[in-house]
Amino acid sequence: MAFKLTNPPYTIDNTPIYHVDMEAGVMGKANNNLTIIINKDVDPSKTQDVIDHEMVHIDQMKRGDLDYDDENVYWKGKKYPRSKMKEGAKNLPWEAEAYKNA
């Protein structure tokens, strides 16, 4: 007889992570397709911190709080023009959560 665990005692994270060339000063990025890219030049001792930070953004996207396109970032239904922000700034609401929880 088979059985099914309704709440398995483990978590599965299959978020693809790629190490790529990125512009100077950018350590990582969470993409709309739920992948993470990490700057290939990030100090290996910092890699897990970058992954943890970007995973918060992945979670934000999964729950529908965060989205973006080339012109704007959308946070909980509010539009933030990219041209009027410093991307990655700790005071942006989606970044504040990532810095706090990563």
Side-chain angles (χ1 to χ4, degrees):
M1 178 182 281
F3 68 95
K4 180 180 177 184
L5 289 174
T6 56
N7 292 313
Y10 54 85
T11 58
I12 297 174
D13 175 26
N14 57 358
T15 302
I17 299 171
Y18 304 99
H19 296 261
V20 300
D21 283 325
M22 297 180 80
E23 64 186 271
V26 176
M27 297 177 72
K29 180 182 175 188
N31 295 309
N32 279 340
N33 65 2
L34 304 180
T35 63
I36 293 174
I37 55 175
I38 305 290
N39 189 324
K40 70 174 185 60
D41 296 326
V42 166
D43 181 329
S45 68
K46 304 277 187 207
T47 299
Q48 190 59 52
D49 291 338
V50 175
I51 292 170
D52 293 345
H53 178 97
E54 298 306 329
M55 280 302 297
V56 173
H57 294 317
I58 294 292
D59 291 339
Q60 292 168 336
M61 286 187 261
K62 284 180 178 179
R63 66 179 195 241
D65 288 343
L66 178 65
D67 194 10
Y68 66 88
D69 57 33
D70 290 339
E71 288 81 34
N72 301 295
V73 175
Y74 307 92
W75 175 249
K76 296 186 176 182
K78 184 175 178 185
K79 179 169 55 171
Y80 294 80
R82 290 182 137 183
S83 62
K84 296 182 180 183
M85 75 170 83
K86 182 176 185 252
E87 299 225 16
K90 292 182 180 185
N91 66 328
L92 296 168
W94 56 92
E95 291 295 350
E97 180 181 342
Y99 281 105
K100 176 182 172 191
N101 295 324

